[in-house]
Amino acid sequence: MKFLNTIFTILVSLPLLGQGSIPTDRLMSDGEVLAAYKGAQELKDIHALTAYFKETYASRYYFSWKEFDKRFVHYNEKYSGRKKNHQDKANSHLELYNGSTTWKLPFKNLKGKDVSSYELRHLARQQKSPDIALLHYFTKDEKYVRYFVDQVASLNASLEKGEYETIEDGNGVYEVYRGGHRMLNWLRVHAFYLASESYTDADQLMLIKTFLQTASFLYHENQKFKSGNHQTRGMAALAMISILFSDFEDAKLWYEHSMKILGMHLEKEINKDGFQFERTVHYHISDIDNYFYVYQLLQRNDYEIPPIWQTQLKGMFDALLMISKDNKTAPVLSDDTKEPLEEYNSLKNIMTTGWLLFKDKRYGYLAADKVSSSDYWYFTLPELNGLMLMKTERPTLSSFEFPQTGYYIMRAEENDAFMIINSGLAPKKNDHQHGDILGFSAYTYGKEILPNYQVRYSYEDFQFFKSSWVKNVALVDSVPQGGEWVGNKGGSGFGKWGDLPIPKKTGWYSSDILDVFEGTHVGFEEMNTDYFRKIFFFKKDAFWLVIDKFESEEKHTYQQIWQGDFDEKKSLSHLRRNLGDGKGLDIVQLGEKPLGRSTWEKREKAASILQFEGKAGITELVTLVHPYEFSGNSIKPKEKYTGIKIAGWAYEISESGQIKLIQHIAAKAESAFLQKDKALLLKVTSIEGKNGHLTFSKPVDVLVVEKGKKLSMTLLSTGETIQTQIGKNIQQLNFGDTVELDF
């Protein structure tokens, strides 16, 4: 029996096949580290091993620690005011925690305040540890080295005692994102400190053991694919450690597994149109970073780069290019969090990285003349010096659709007009989406005319800024999109809508005259109301027509929400926003008149909410969105807006049921936008001329363009296939189809 027990003990203590031998719940002893080392070079003792890994880190990491002194001088020349910047960031951490800190809630910080879940998560990420490390070189004070070493040691001690926040608690210190992010920062700090005599062999060895233990934890806890950027960050860190410490047998296992999981994320979470599946600029860029960290190390260490990495990573930069505006920024999309309340996302830093990786001149146009101060340490000096040779080319951008992601961009380069429409919902993980289905933001003349705002999870009003009241959307009975608010398990401030309406794009058309989007969502089904939104963009003249259509057998009150600080101009039907420098925005109701208007103001942001009385049946809100560059081009307030000039177009509402078009041609339509040789007809049933006529089986919207002696007519309505009769011929047309008639 004793023999069997002994055999059983030996068997359970052996590592499982394919599971590795490095423990997850403690650091290895010196002897275990030596035993786990399987490198080609013979190392007889732990001191030789430590010296070996110090040497290999110089050639394997992004930059050589042997060049640190030279690079530190170059860094300070390149980026002004760095000492104060790093001092401020470092102090924000040093003032809260001892080196030997606690890693399990509840506990108090050095100011005597309870550490929040949000603060613990940032402690676990060790975001400020590189700033603290650089203070060592600014001040020549060894205490910063000792602080870092003590903090690492305190985590390791807490691990062995089991006194740390676990994944089950919701604030896991070793949770895949937090553990991975910590490794990313500590690997950089390790590179910094290897250049310092204050960083002893014992310190270095402890860090090596810590890297190996955390890598083993990340490997064992992430055997299966888990959707989202958390696992991506952790697996990127695992791949980095496996490359930097490839001499351990387990490292091969880690490398193969991390690259497999990262490959699955690249395949499953980068949509075919190039956009990251969580549909925000913030997480799109964050995922680029995750892949970039690994991509750079693969190149640096002569690993073969899988083809999917090349195509998908390049596609992600192309996606940012396609959403860029003329001022080299991108719109705010859902949970963008870098600069809370800002109305745009800066692209210059990430596109500088894009140029360095792919040398695409279009990326260079959007790039800065240097990488960001944090990215500086991920490139060699020759790579950074290559920026002086950057060649740029202004990208030729037009209207664009991301069909899988569900973003639709209306754009006219000649007047810098830009609108992005949200008609998508992440199918598997829509945690980061806001209540703005079929909402949009718009920009022109260098101004965010209808903005969206960046958010921050820790703000008390985060839920409000994620709601429909802070979007350019339409509602029924003041019921916002999104319900069933779900707070984060760990109570860190983050939350998501448990229920968002499913959108459907029903039509998309783009030409040099007009862009047209049409879509619907199911958000008002419980109120027995069908909802449709249609947007026309008059490209050359840079204005939009927005039609919100509601269908219900009951009476409701409908709302339109417009972001910005608006003034009424004589009536509720005309709102105006002063954008400065003579620029402004008119919001004009061409159809139903509003019953009233309310506003909200918070954190220097504001919006106007227009109320409309809905009748049983169909109610349509027809709204002109007209930005102007000079005050003289604004729309003058009127009682009735029929007959007004809007840039190069005349707007007419039919009184008799007929609208005269080009020369001798007339149409039966409710209203139209007219030019000399073209017209947009709204709810037209027939078009007649001397030599023929055309009738539609139901009222539709049609773009008519004169081309010599012919008329080109493009159907811009959806629904069932529309029957068109030309003389005696009957033809079936769908959205975007064009017919030519000899009139």
Side-chain angles (χ1 to χ4, degrees):
M1 192 68 173
K2 287 184 179 180
F3 174 76
L4 291 175
N5 286 339
T6 302
I7 294 295
F8 177 76
T9 302
I10 293 172
L11 287 173
V12 297
S13 65
L14 288 173
L16 295 174
L17 184 63
Q19 294 300 303
S21 59
I22 295 175
T24 64
D25 58 350
R26 62 177 179 84
L27 298 195
M28 290 188 291
S29 67
D30 292 357
E32 287 175 315
V33 174
L34 279 169
Y37 169 79
K38 303 294 182 184
Q41 184 172 337
E42 184 179 354
L43 301 173
K44 295 183 178 180
D45 58 45
I46 198 69
H47 302 291
L49 182 139
T50 305
Y52 169 75
F53 279 112
K54 181 174 183 178
E55 189 66 26
T56 59
Y57 212 79
S59 60
R60 292 177 183 175
Y61 193 64
Y62 303 97
F63 69 91
S64 170
W65 59 264
K66 296 178 181 180
E67 297 180 344
F68 180 81
D69 290 342
K70 176 183 176 182
R71 288 193 62 131
F72 188 62
V73 172
H74 182 258
Y75 174 74
N76 284 292
E77 290 173 348
K78 206 78 175 168
Y79 305 93
S80 61
R82 301 319 295 165
K83 181 176 181 180
K84 184 178 187 310
N85 178 276
H86 291 299
Q87 183 106 46
D88 290 345
K89 289 182 178 179
N91 285 341
S92 69
H93 184 98
L94 294 167
E95 291 170 358
L96 294 178
Y97 309 105
N98 283 315
S100 183
T101 189
T102 303
W103 297 88
K104 185 170 181 61
L105 296 173
F107 70 98
K108 295 185 182 297
N109 60 31
L110 293 176
K111 295 182 178 180
K113 295 183 178 179
D114 289 329
V115 174
S116 68
S117 300
Y118 185 80
E119 290 168 332
L120 177 71
R121 291 181 176 206
H122 281 268
L123 169 64
R125 295 179 192 180
Q126 288 287 290
Q127 195 75 33
K128 304 300 191 301
S129 57
D131 300 291
I132 297 169
L134 288 175
L135 281 193
H136 170 63
Y137 291 97
F138 280 116
T139 64
K140 310 300 181 186
D141 195 330
E142 185 185 358
K143 71 179 181 182
Y144 297 111
V145 181
R146 302 271 55 87
Y147 180 92
F148 170 70
V149 172
D150 288 347
Q151 198 135 91
V152 177
S154 72
L155 177 58
N156 292 332
S158 296
L159 172 69
E160 295 203 20
K161 295 176 185 175
E163 296 176 354
Y164 63 95
E165 286 290 308
T166 65
I167 296 170
E168 290 74 19
D169 297 327
N171 292 300
V173 173
Y174 289 92
E175 184 271 337
V176 60
Y177 182 88
R178 269 154 257 149
H181 206 70
R182 183 168 64 253
M183 291 300 96
L184 177 71
N185 289 316
W186 282 2
L187 286 168
R188 196 201 312 179
V189 173
H190 186 61
F192 288 167
Y193 279 153
L194 283 174
S196 171
E197 293 181 359
S198 300
Y199 195 46
T200 68
D201 286 357
D203 299 335
Q204 296 168 39
L205 180 59
M206 183 182 68
L207 261 294
I208 292 169
K209 292 178 179 179
T210 302
F211 295 142
L212 297 175
Q213 173 271 320
T214 305
S216 184
F217 191 99
L218 291 172
Y219 170 76
H220 281 86
E221 291 295 319
N222 290 274
Q223 285 297 297
K224 295 182 180 179
F225 173 86
K226 298 175 185 175
S227 185
N229 67 300
H230 276 227
Q231 189 179 65
T232 315
R233 176 57 53 91
M235 291 301 96
L238 182 60
M240 291 166 64
I241 294 170
S242 71
I243 295 169
L244 293 168
F245 299 96
S246 57
D247 309 83
F248 291 94
E249 186 67 28
D250 285 13
K252 181 181 179 182
L253 197 65
W254 300 340
Y255 177 77
E256 291 174 350
H257 183 69
S258 61
M259 292 299 287
K260 174 188 171 184
I261 297 292
L262 287 170
M264 293 173 71
H265 281 272
L266 277 167
E267 183 179 355
K268 295 174 180 288
E269 296 185 343
I270 309 304
N271 293 332
K272 290 181 180 179
D273 54 31
F275 221 99
Q276 200 264 4
F277 84 113
E278 290 177 288
R279 308 181 71 255
T280 85
V281 176
H282 175 91
Y283 287 97
H284 186 95
I285 291 175
S286 179
D287 250 10
I288 286 179
D289 285 341
N290 290 329
Y291 301 121
F292 158 69
Y293 298 139
V294 180
Y295 188 90
Q296 275 288 81
L297 276 192
L298 292 173
Q299 293 191 108
R300 180 110 164 99
N301 292 276
D302 297 322
Y303 280 66
E304 183 179 351
I305 299 176
I308 192 173
W309 283 69
Q310 294 272 8
T311 56
Q312 294 292 70
L313 191 56
K314 179 72 164 59
M316 293 180 78
F317 282 103
D318 286 342
L320 291 177
L321 184 71
M322 296 313 299
I323 66 171
S324 66
K325 294 173 279 187
D326 74 293
N327 64 352
K328 305 181 182 182
T329 68
V332 174
L333 302 173
S334 288
D335 271 359
D336 288 335
T337 63
K338 189 172 180 63
E339 301 291 342
L341 302 182
E342 192 55 85
E343 298 177 4
Y344 63 87
N345 281 291
S346 174
L347 288 177
K348 63 180 182 179
N349 289 335
I350 192 63
M351 297 312 277
T352 307
T353 298
W355 186 87
L356 283 166
L357 290 180
F358 298 107
K359 302 300 186 292
D360 190 317
K361 291 188 243 184
R362 300 171 304 163
Y363 301 169
Y365 179 80
L366 297 169
D369 59 359
K370 58 186 177 184
V371 298
S372 68
S373 58
S374 57
D375 284 348
Y376 173 87
W377 303 102
Y378 295 112
F379 294 97
T380 64
L381 284 175
E383 286 173 326
L384 295 172
N385 291 333
L387 288 170
M388 293 186 291
L389 304 175
M390 183 193 293
K391 294 183 179 179
T392 68
E393 178 183 288
R394 179 169 182 152
T396 300
L397 301 175
S398 57
S399 300
F400 191 78
E401 64 172 323
F402 291 92
Q404 289 79 38
T405 308
Y407 285 125
Y408 295 83
I409 295 173
M410 297 175 165
R411 184 200 307 270
E413 281 202 291
E414 58 267 28
N415 44 44
D416 304 329
F418 177 100
M419 175 183 281
I420 186 165
I421 303 161
N422 175 24
S423 182
L425 188 67
K428 293 183 180 178
K429 184 175 179 288
N430 47 52
D431 296 12
H432 295 294
Q433 293 201 217
H434 291 202
D436 65 339
I437 304 300
L438 297 192
F440 51 76
S441 61
Y443 163 97
T444 194
Y445 304 129
K447 303 287 186 179
E448 300 291 339
I449 58 172
L450 288 168
N452 197 3
Y453 314 112
Q454 293 199 45
V455 296
R456 178 146 290 174
Y457 303 145
S458 59
Y459 285 6
E460 291 183 1
D461 50 14
F462 168 59
Q463 181 177 347
F464 173 75
F465 273 92
K466 199 162 177 168
S467 75
S468 299
W469 301 113
V470 195
K471 313 297 169 187
N472 298 296
V473 295
L475 303 178
V476 177
D477 294 335
S478 297
V479 177
Q481 300 174 19
E484 303 175 11
W485 180 258
V486 180
N488 184 273
K489 181 179 178 182
S492 64
F494 172 74
K496 63 182 180 180
W497 297 115
D499 177 47
L500 282 169
I502 299 171
K504 180 182 179 183
K505 179 267 299 182
T506 55
W508 170 252
Y509 169 81
S510 183
S511 72
D512 58 354
I513 300 170
L514 283 177
D515 288 342
V516 186
F517 169 86
E518 187 173 274
T520 183
H521 69 65
V522 298
F524 308 128
E525 280 186 338
E526 291 186 2
M527 289 169 276
N528 300 314
T529 302
D530 294 327
Y531 169 69
F532 308 86
R533 171 164 270 187
K534 191 169 189 175
I535 303 172
F536 297 90
F537 175 41
F538 296 76
K539 298 179 87 159
K540 184 178 179 181
D541 302 289
F543 69 90
W544 290 267
L545 184 72
V546 179
I547 299 176
D548 290 312
K549 179 181 175 182
F550 303 88
E551 292 185 19
S552 180
E553 296 178 357
E554 307 160 0
K555 289 185 178 182
H556 294 279
T557 302
Y558 302 125
Q559 291 78 34
Q560 279 184 340
I561 307 173
W562 302 101
Q563 298 304 306
D565 188 9
F566 288 91
D567 293 326
E568 296 173 23
K569 302 306 293 181
K570 290 191 175 179
S571 74
L572 290 172
S573 292
H574 192 154
L575 304 181
R576 177 166 292 168
R577 186 179 183 205
N578 185 346
L579 297 168
D581 303 321
K583 299 177 177 66
L585 173 66
D586 289 312
I587 302 288
V588 180
Q589 300 301 327
L590 300 178
E592 297 287 335
K593 306 301 180 186
L595 290 173
R597 171 188 180 230
S598 59
T599 61
W600 65 258
E601 293 184 21
K602 191 182 287 284
R603 294 185 184 269
E604 300 182 354
K605 304 298 181 183
S608 286
I609 302 159
L610 296 178
Q611 308 281 345
F612 297 84
E613 183 179 12
K615 54 184 177 292
I618 295 176
T619 301
E620 282 194 345
L621 313 181
V622 182
T623 309
L624 181 67
V625 177
H626 178 260
Y628 53 86
E629 190 172 13
F630 309 104
S631 57
N633 294 338
S634 63
I635 294 175
K636 306 303 180 280
K638 297 180 67 173
E639 285 299 316
K640 294 183 70 175
Y641 287 92
T642 184
I644 63 171
K645 297 287 185 180
I646 306 167
W649 298 79
Y651 174 66
E652 298 286 348
I653 298 176
S654 171
E655 300 290 347
S656 63
Q658 278 212 338
I659 291 178
K660 185 178 179 182
L661 301 182
I662 304 153
Q663 299 176 10
H664 52 272
I665 299 165
K668 289 184 178 179
E670 286 193 5
S671 60
F673 288 82
L674 305 169
Q675 280 192 348
K676 182 179 179 181
D677 60 349
K678 62 182 71 72
L680 172 64
L681 302 174
L682 301 175
K683 292 189 178 179
V684 58
T685 54
S686 68
I687 301 173
E688 297 182 1
K690 285 184 179 180
N691 300 322
H693 70 278
L694 179 152
T695 59
F696 300 95
S697 55
K698 60 181 180 181
V700 292
D701 302 331
V702 176
L703 173 64
V704 180
V705 181
E706 182 180 16
K707 293 184 176 180
K709 293 183 178 181
K710 293 182 180 293
L711 284 185
S712 171
M713 285 177 264
T714 303
L715 179 66
L716 299 175
S717 288
T718 58
E720 297 177 4
T721 301
I722 292 163
Q723 190 177 96
T724 304
Q725 184 168 345
I726 307 170
K728 295 182 179 181
N729 298 320
I730 295 176
Q731 188 172 350
Q732 306 292 329
L733 295 181
N734 293 303
F735 189 99
D737 287 348
T738 298
V739 294
E740 283 193 350
L741 297 180
D742 186 356
F743 273 85

